Amino acid sequence: MSKTQKKIEKTEETIELSDEDLALKNELETLVEKLSEKDISVQQTALETIKKEIKMATGSMTSVPKPLKFLKPFFHHLTNIYSQMEQSKTKVLFADVLSVLSMAMSSLNERNTLKYKLEGDVEDIGTWGHEYVKHLLGEVAEEYNLRKDNKENLTQLEALIEIIVKFNMEHNAEPDACDLLMETEKIPLLIPYANDHNFTRVCIYLLSCSQYVPEPEDSEILKVVLQIYLKMNQFTDAVRVAIRLNDLESISNILESCEDELLKKQIAFMLARQLITIETEKEDLVEIMNNEKLSIYFRKLIESLEITEPKTIVEIFKIGDESQDKLATNVDSAKQNLATTFANAFFHAGFGRDSLMVEDGNRWLYKNKDHGMMSAAASLGMIFLWDVDDGLSQIDKFLYSKEDYIRAGALLSIGMINCGIKNEFDPALALLTSYLEDESEHNPTQIMKTGAVIGLGMAYSGTNREDVLETLTAIIDDPNNSIETIAQACLSVGLIFIGTGNYDVADLFVKILLDLKGENLKHPHTRFIPLGLGLVFLGKQEDVEFILVALKAIEGDFSEYCAMTVETCAYTATGNVLKIQRILHEITLSLKNIAEQKEKEEKEKQENNENNNNNNNQNQNQNNRMGPNRRRNNQNETKKQEDKTPVNEHLSVAVIGLALIGMGEEIGSEMLLRTFNHLLQYGEKSVRIAVPLAMGLLYSSNPKIEVIETLSRLTHDSNPDIAYSAILALGIVGAGTSNARIAQILKHLAEYYSKEANHLFLVRISQGILQMGKGTLTINPFYSDRFLFHRVAIGGLLAVLHSAIDIKNTIFGSSHYLLYWLVCAIYPKMLVTVNENLDLVKATVRVGKAVDVVGQAGKPKTITGFQTHQTPVLLGFGERGEMANDEYFSLTNTLEGICILRENPNPKMK
């Protein structure tokens, strides 16, 4: 016997029991002796007395109950007595007592609590308290899986599971019931036991669990939540879950089964946010789902905030009096004017007014050159975002310009205005398709066709329109079109059919990729073809495996780029750890190969140097004369070798893919942030270029201080490509937030890079993106308490980030208009309340930081640090709104976007 065991025994002997405890111990010993007798009536009396003592002691389980402690030495003696008893009611009661004693006296592997419970009264589990039920639950789950693996009979256990679930659901232990059913894969058993008292806690717990389980278990959990919400007539919550499942049939059924006309309108607003249209004969619902009034509600928001007046460029860039002279010297610079155009467009997005284009657009247009004119004309689409009527009338005059670039920009702006808006007259399709036909009276050039196909992609993103596909397919199949036009047409098709997994569309992409040859494979725009294919399979996970096999047939290194793009898109926002590990392995493998290649090159250099030294010794006099020239030549050769170092762009896509897979989940995002810091230290050039872009995607419109400081440091990196990525990422991270820290960093960068045209160009654009819509807009794809994500928004962000991988040949070249793909992600971060007639109504709401209340008992507060406002109000990232009084009832439990309120006939306002 060890010394520690002896010490424990001595301490137990020295502990003196109180008179009450000593009496209890003696009584229990007497009862154990009575159980040894063969008289059943005596045994029955003794067992009932023991049961009574245990029940009294297990009322609180802060420590081991004294009856269990005193009966511990007799446990094996009691089991022997039990085994010798004949089957009777007394033996059933004895089994129940032994089941409780086993909770404190036997190891988990033995599962004696379950063993004796199955031999006792299975129906009676609540008698012994919650702690006993929780212990029994754990053993049931373990035994169930063991029997299932051995293909044994599960009938007895299934009956007990149902009893445990019923007990937990009736006694405020819903998470325990959910855990047991998830462990035994019997989640649907929850549905019959859901009621008004417990369904909210059950659903919140299951929804949070669905984020941490793999496919298809997450879908099964969500389907159960959907059924519970429908059972409790919670139609708006049911629609949220159906949208997450991308189940259009369930959405249509919910809309039909709902009898409340006002509630149907609220559901229509929710569907409009996700660009989902359900066929219905009711025109008012169609109008809401078409988002036709989005611009009106947004204008009401900015009117209530009193920010309608346009601002000048000096005010946008926050330039002081001392720096205005510097701006004046660069005002004629075409590149600086182009940056000003973008900044002005993003700053006044959706306002319908600005200080450059609307009042005197013709004069400003001609301060830009060639493709700059295109982006300048297209900026009108951003300014009149969602306002189809006024926007088209302003753009119409530019369609008759003699400059093809201006006409191309006007076509692009038509698509931007209609982005997220549907119209029964389809003005975008009618106008844009007429500029895609070679025999058209408009005589379209390649740049005009490019503007038109991008416009179609923006206007019909997420609509699955077959007629638009036919139009774009004709452009893609025409060999006379440039690779730039074809690539943008492919990207547009990807956005139109985003997340559908349409194999017919996928076949079109695979055919194009397999036909690419020679220089077309290296063209900067070719990258958008696999991106379009990836968007078609966005979030489809394993459905993409057949496509990945087909992509292996593509020539050269571009095959890796395509496969990585498509695979990462397929696992968007899944948090799939295995995929993240595989991608990280591929990145590290490439680093190992590069290190080996460098070692090989260094050895060759050493050998060459030795040979050169021998030659130098033989021809010393001649080399003395030629030495300086040779040194210069060697330096030039070294620079050329550095310039020729291959950039593995598929690794850049891999890094962005890490953010794409992990986005939307807070813990995963923090872990990825730590991973990115390691990649910055040890990664090769293509990896480090993509890290800031990945951070921008992971924290878009969410300016977290650690991210801001990391990007701020990278903006001064010695490698200009990394600095470019960091500057653009700062704008994306702070998009629409007007974050003071980022604004200060960008202002300092504008002074620091005042003589660097490319750096300053990006700084000015980032300043515009930072103050997007004067702080009223967001580009974060997650909404509805971060439960849902907007597929089209992710598509728009990816288009910009992929173009930034090779920023010198895209945004700094003639393809800066690609920045306008960001329009697909833009949406007002507003809470607007309307009455039954859909007119704006002011209501008192609290806005504060969202609090996680999963698994908490009672009615915990869902927000903290709140402020009380009158609607309409802005909702920042991670904020949540709730009604401050009972003057109105909200028809949706998630106060975000456009919410319909119903007046309370009997308010109890303080």
Side-chain angles (χ1 to χ4, degrees):
M1 188 179 290
S2 65
K3 291 182 180 180
T4 52
Q5 286 178 330
K6 288 179 180 178
K7 284 182 181 179
I8 291 169
E9 286 185 2
K10 284 182 180 179
T11 51
E12 286 179 352
E13 288 172 5
T14 53
I15 294 173
E16 293 185 6
L17 297 174
S18 64
D19 294 339
E20 186 180 346
D21 290 347
L22 192 62
L24 175 62
K25 183 180 179 183
N26 294 332
E27 184 183 359
L28 289 171
E29 289 174 356
T30 305
L31 292 171
V32 171
E33 290 176 8
K34 288 183 179 180
L35 286 172
S36 302
E37 298 181 13
K38 294 185 178 180
D39 190 344
I40 292 178
S41 60
V42 174
Q43 290 177 335
Q44 180 77 18
T45 306
L47 285 169
E48 286 178 353
T49 308
I50 292 173
K51 178 181 177 181
K52 181 182 176 183
E53 292 294 340
I54 293 173
K55 279 177 65 177
M56 289 173 63
T58 54
S60 173
M61 291 290 284
T62 52
S63 60
V64 179
K66 289 176 182 177
L68 300 187
K69 192 185 294 182
F70 296 147
L71 288 171
K72 185 175 180 179
F74 306 100
F75 180 70
H76 293 294
H77 176 61
L78 292 172
T79 55
N80 291 332
I81 296 171
Y82 173 79
S83 61
Q84 295 171 9
M85 288 179 70
E86 295 182 0
Q87 190 61 38
S88 62
K89 289 183 179 180
T90 304
K91 188 171 184 179
V92 171
L93 179 59
F94 203 165
D96 282 347
V97 172
L98 286 176
S99 178
V100 179
L101 293 177
S102 300
M103 183 171 62
M105 296 170 197
S106 62
S107 64
L108 284 172
N109 294 330
E110 293 176 354
R111 294 187 289 282
N112 283 331
T113 302
L114 173 61
K115 173 188 170 184
Y116 290 115
K117 179 57 46 206
L118 291 174
E119 295 174 7
D121 184 4
V122 180
E123 297 290 333
D124 182 25
I125 61 168
T127 305
W128 309 102
H130 284 275
E131 199 63 34
Y132 169 75
V133 176
K134 186 176 285 189
H135 185 86
L136 181 63
L137 184 148
E139 292 192 3
V140 167
E142 192 176 342
E143 181 69 20
Y144 183 91
N145 289 323
L146 196 65
R147 289 192 186 184
K148 189 178 179 181
D149 292 340
N150 297 330
K151 297 182 180 179
E152 298 177 19
N153 190 357
L154 299 170
T155 307
Q156 198 177 15
L157 279 179
E158 287 173 347
L160 181 58
I161 287 170
E162 198 159 342
I163 292 167
I164 293 172
V165 169
K166 183 181 178 183
F167 175 83
N168 282 333
M169 293 290 282
E170 290 174 353
H171 293 84
N172 300 322
E174 297 88 358
D176 292 339
C178 295
D179 288 341
L180 174 61
L181 293 178
M182 280 191 283
E183 192 73 27
T184 56
E185 298 179 356
K186 291 188 172 296
I187 289 289
L189 280 178
L190 281 169
I191 299 172
Y193 300 108
N195 53 40
D196 291 331
H197 175 68
N198 60 29
F199 85 91
T200 303
R201 287 195 295 277
V202 169
C203 291
I204 290 175
Y205 186 76
L206 288 178
L207 289 176
S208 66
C209 289
S210 68
Q211 298 178 17
Y212 300 99
V213 296
E215 181 76 24
E217 292 176 35
D218 57 344
S219 297
E220 291 171 4
I221 292 173
L222 291 174
K223 286 174 184 175
V224 169
V225 175
L226 177 62
Q227 293 301 316
I228 293 173
Y229 277 138
L230 289 175
K231 177 185 175 183
M232 306 312 301
N233 294 325
Q234 300 294 313
F235 294 108
T236 54
D237 287 326
V239 166
R240 286 178 72 224
V241 178
I243 291 172
R244 175 70 177 265
L245 286 166
N246 200 20
D247 188 351
L248 298 181
E249 186 179 350
S250 293
I251 294 171
S252 181
N253 292 337
I254 293 168
L255 202 60
E256 289 177 10
S257 60
C258 180
E259 297 178 357
D260 189 337
E261 292 299 322
L262 203 57
L263 201 55
K264 283 186 176 182
K265 291 180 181 179
Q266 180 62 69
I267 292 171
F269 277 121
M270 296 170 69
L271 297 179
R273 176 70 177 91
Q274 191 70 8
L275 303 181
I276 296 174
T277 305
I278 302 297
E279 291 185 9
T280 178
E281 296 177 355
K282 297 185 178 180
E283 293 182 2
D284 54 345
L285 294 182
V286 173
E287 184 182 340
I288 293 171
M289 284 187 278
N290 286 346
N291 252 339
E292 291 179 17
K293 290 187 176 180
L294 179 60
S295 178
I296 295 172
Y297 291 128
F298 178 63
R299 298 279 174 84
K300 293 285 186 184
L301 169 72
I302 60 177
E303 283 174 14
S304 67
L305 296 173
E306 298 179 353
I307 53 173
T308 55
E309 286 300 315
K311 289 194 175 183
T312 63
I313 292 304
V314 172
E315 291 173 313
I316 294 171
F317 294 151
K318 294 182 171 63
I319 298 172
D321 295 333
E322 296 176 1
S323 301
Q324 285 191 37
D325 295 334
K326 289 184 181 179
L327 183 71
T329 58
N330 293 328
V331 80
D332 293 327
S333 164
K335 194 148 200 159
Q336 196 63 24
N337 288 349
L338 184 59
T340 301
T341 300
F342 278 109
N344 177 71
F346 286 122
F347 185 85
H348 295 102
F351 276 62
R353 298 175 65 189
D354 80 319
S355 58
L356 283 184
M357 290 298 300
V358 177
E359 294 178 3
D360 192 9
N362 282 322
R363 188 170 64 86
W364 182 256
L365 272 176
Y366 289 96
K367 287 189 176 183
N368 295 276
K369 293 179 182 178
D370 299 338
H371 288 84
M373 288 183 176
M374 178 180 176
S375 292
S379 68
L380 276 173
M382 185 72 78
I383 295 165
F384 286 95
L385 191 59
W386 310 310
D387 188 355
V388 178
D389 296 334
D390 290 346
L392 289 178
S393 62
Q394 284 282 341
I395 291 164
D396 184 63
K397 59 188 176 185
F398 295 115
L399 291 173
Y400 300 99
S401 172
K402 293 179 181 179
E403 291 283 350
D404 289 345
Y405 293 107
I406 294 176
R407 294 166 76 189
L411 294 171
L412 176 54
S413 65
I414 289 170
M416 292 167 69
I417 287 172
N418 287 274
C419 186
I421 308 294
K422 296 170 188 172
N423 193 301
E424 58 179 335
F425 299 111
D426 262 351
L429 186 63
L431 286 167
L432 296 175
T433 50
S434 65
Y435 284 86
L436 292 174
E437 299 167 0
D438 290 327
E439 298 175 359
S440 168
E441 59 180 351
H442 303 297
N443 298 320
T445 58
Q446 284 300 312
I447 192 63
M448 289 166 65
K449 285 185 178 181
T450 303
V453 295
I454 295 175
L456 284 172
M458 290 176 175
Y460 297 98
S461 52
T463 59
N464 308 335
R465 288 277 294 266
E466 292 289 340
D467 51 347
V468 184
L469 175 63
E470 289 178 14
T471 303
L472 292 173
T473 303
I475 297 295
I476 294 167
D477 291 338
D478 188 351
N480 295 322
N481 288 325
S482 66
I483 188 67
E484 186 176 342
T485 304
I486 291 171
Q488 292 306 313
C490 289
L491 181 55
S492 294
V493 170
L495 274 161
I496 292 167
F497 288 88
I498 192 166
T500 59
N502 189 316
Y503 281 103
D504 293 333
V505 176
D507 288 341
L508 172 67
F509 280 98
V510 173
K511 180 178 176 294
I512 298 162
L513 290 168
L514 293 175
D515 290 343
L516 288 172
K517 305 289 181 186
E519 291 299 318
N520 284 341
L521 283 170
K522 299 177 183 178
H523 196 281
H525 278 259
T526 307
R527 72 186 69 246
F528 297 110
I529 302 176
L531 177 58
L533 176 58
L535 293 180
V536 173
F537 287 92
L538 192 81
K540 286 298 180 181
Q541 301 192 41
E542 294 177 358
D543 292 354
V544 81
E545 294 301 325
F546 295 110
I547 303 299
L548 293 175
V549 173
L551 293 176
K552 290 179 181 178
I554 297 171
E555 289 184 5
D557 297 336
F558 191 59
S559 172
E560 293 180 335
Y561 187 98
C562 294
M564 187 60 73
T565 302
V566 174
E567 188 174 10
T568 51
C569 285
Y571 288 87
T572 296
T574 59
N576 191 307
V577 178
L578 295 176
K579 287 294 171 187
I580 290 174
Q581 286 176 341
R582 196 190 73 75
I583 292 170
L584 286 171
H585 175 70
E586 189 157 338
I587 292 170
T588 52
L589 197 64
S590 69
L591 293 176
K592 185 180 177 182
N593 294 336
I594 290 168
E596 289 174 356
Q597 184 67 24
K598 283 182 179 179
E599 285 181 11
K600 187 177 178 181
E601 288 175 0
E602 285 176 4
K603 285 182 181 179
E604 290 176 358
K605 281 182 182 179
Q606 285 177 358
E607 290 175 1
N608 292 333
N609 288 335
E610 288 175 3
N611 293 331
N612 289 334
N613 288 333
N614 293 332
N615 292 331
N616 287 338
N617 291 330
Q618 293 172 4
N619 304 300
Q620 190 172 6
N621 295 329
Q622 188 178 355
N623 287 336
N624 284 334
R625 294 185 204 130
M626 301 285 293
N629 292 329
R630 287 193 174 185
R631 281 196 294 272
R632 288 191 204 102
N633 290 335
N634 287 336
Q635 288 173 0
N636 292 333
E637 284 176 13
T638 306
K639 286 183 179 178
K640 285 179 182 177
Q641 286 175 0
E642 288 176 358
D643 293 338
K644 288 180 180 178
T645 302
V647 177
N648 299 316
E649 290 190 347
H650 78 282
L651 295 181
S652 299
V653 176
V655 176
I656 293 173
L658 290 173
L660 197 58
I661 295 170
M663 70 191 304
E665 201 271 298
E666 194 172 345
I667 297 172
S669 298
E670 289 179 3
M671 290 174 69
L672 280 174
L673 203 56
R674 196 176 302 169
T675 303
F676 289 152
N677 287 327
H678 292 307
L679 293 178
L680 283 171
Q681 286 180 318
Y682 305 110
E684 60 164 297
K685 179 183 174 182
S686 56
V687 171
R688 287 183 287 124
I689 287 172
V691 167
L693 301 176
M695 286 182 175
L697 178 62
L698 203 59
Y699 290 93
S700 53
S701 292
N702 176 20
K704 199 171 182 180
I705 190 66
E706 306 98 279
V707 179
I708 295 172
E709 295 307 318
T710 302
L711 293 175
S712 175
R713 178 167 46 84
L714 292 174
T715 55
H716 295 85
D717 196 275
S718 57
N719 188 323
D721 292 326
I722 297 172
Y724 296 150
S725 296
I727 293 169
L728 181 61
L730 272 175
I732 292 172
V733 166
T737 64
S738 298
N739 183 276
R741 175 68 181 133
I742 297 177
Q744 184 184 25
I745 292 169
L746 291 173
K747 188 176 179 182
H748 289 160
L749 287 174
E751 295 176 4
Y752 183 78
Y753 288 121
S754 60
K755 294 181 181 179
E756 299 287 340
N758 287 339
H759 289 83
L760 187 59
F761 176 73
L762 275 182
V763 169
R764 293 308 189 196
I765 290 172
S766 291
Q767 284 180 309
I769 295 173
L770 174 68
Q771 302 173 79
M772 186 183 289
K774 299 183 184 178
T776 60
L777 302 174
T778 181
I779 59 171
N780 193 290
F782 288 87
Y783 68 102
S784 192
D785 278 348
R786 293 178 63 79
F787 178 66
L788 301 175
F789 68 89
H790 199 276
R791 292 178 178 82
V792 173
I794 291 177
L797 283 168
L798 285 177
V800 174
L801 295 177
H802 274 251
S803 63
I805 291 172
D806 187 15
I807 199 166
K808 288 179 180 176
N809 293 316
T810 53
I811 293 171
F812 290 160
S814 59
S815 304
H816 34 71
Y817 54 81
L818 293 172
L819 286 168
Y820 285 127
W821 277 116
L822 210 58
V823 75
C824 296
I826 297 175
Y827 198 83
K829 52 179 183 181
M830 62 182 183
L831 168 57
V832 174
T833 50
V834 296
N835 60 17
E836 298 177 11
N837 299 319
L838 304 186
D839 296 324
L840 220 65
V841 62
K842 288 189 177 293
T844 308
V845 294
R846 300 189 196 97
V847 177
K849 198 73 176 172
V851 177
D852 188 4
V853 295
V854 175
Q856 293 187 20
K859 294 182 179 179
K861 292 181 179 180
T862 57
I863 59 174
T864 184
F866 62 83
Q867 291 182 329
T868 306
H869 299 279
Q870 288 282 320
T871 58
V873 295
L874 296 175
L875 290 179
F877 182 88
E879 289 185 336
R880 185 183 289 162
E882 63 178 31
M883 300 301 295
N885 53 47
D886 63 348
E887 184 182 1
Y888 294 98
F889 294 127
S890 173
L891 296 187
T892 174
N893 294 323
T894 308
L895 291 182
E896 195 173 307
I898 302 167
C899 300
I900 301 176
L901 302 182
R902 181 175 275 151
E903 196 168 351
N904 184 1
N906 301 308
K908 298 177 181 178
M909 294 175 62
K910 292 183 181 179

